[in-house]
């Protein structure tokens, strides 16, 4: 994937949004499955794993949004000073 020099921050934000969406879908599916599959969920293993996936997806989205905004701000400030 080749990034355009002027839109690096938007590309990073879009990629992190896509990855976080997939993680949220997988985590939600596992969370709902943990209520149905009680034989596999004796020690609430599926519930803990699904909540971990959902939490990691939210942290990754926040970090990606921060990095995208940081790159956009840095690009805007570096072109103004030249």
């Amino acid at each position: 994937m080749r990034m355009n020099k002027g839109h690096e921050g938007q590309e990073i934000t879009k990629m992190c949004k896509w990855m976080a969406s997939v993680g949220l879908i997988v985590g939600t599916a596992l969370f709902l499955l943990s209520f149905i599959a009680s034989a596999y969920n004796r020690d609430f293993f599926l519930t803990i794993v699904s909540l971990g996936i959902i939490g990691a997806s939210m942290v990754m989205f926040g970090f990606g949004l921060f990095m995208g905004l940081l790159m956009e701000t840095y690009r805007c400030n570096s072109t103004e000073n030249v």
Side-chain angles (χ1 to χ4, degrees):
M1 178 171 86
R2 184 177 168 162
M3 285 195 234
N4 195 0
K5 189 70 172 167
H7 301 289
E8 289 175 349
Q10 292 174 355
E11 291 291 325
I12 288 175
T13 304
K14 189 186 303 182
M15 179 183 65
C16 286
K17 188 188 307 182
W18 182 80
M19 290 173 64
S21 298
V22 170
L24 283 174
I25 290 170
V26 169
T28 304
L30 278 176
F31 186 73
L32 293 175
L33 181 69
S34 71
F35 291 120
I36 298 168
S38 60
Y40 296 114
N41 201 20
R42 284 183 198 260
D43 299 327
F44 300 105
F45 181 72
L46 281 178
T47 307
I48 293 169
V49 168
S50 65
L51 290 176
I53 291 172
I54 290 172
S57 296
M58 292 188 316
V59 168
M60 185 176 53
F61 176 73
F63 182 72
L65 184 66
F66 174 73
M67 290 302 292
L69 290 173
L70 189 67
M71 287 185 125
E72 288 291 321
T73 304
Y74 177 73
R75 185 180 57 85
C76 291
N77 287 338
S78 65
T79 56
E80 289 176 2
N81 293 335
V82 174

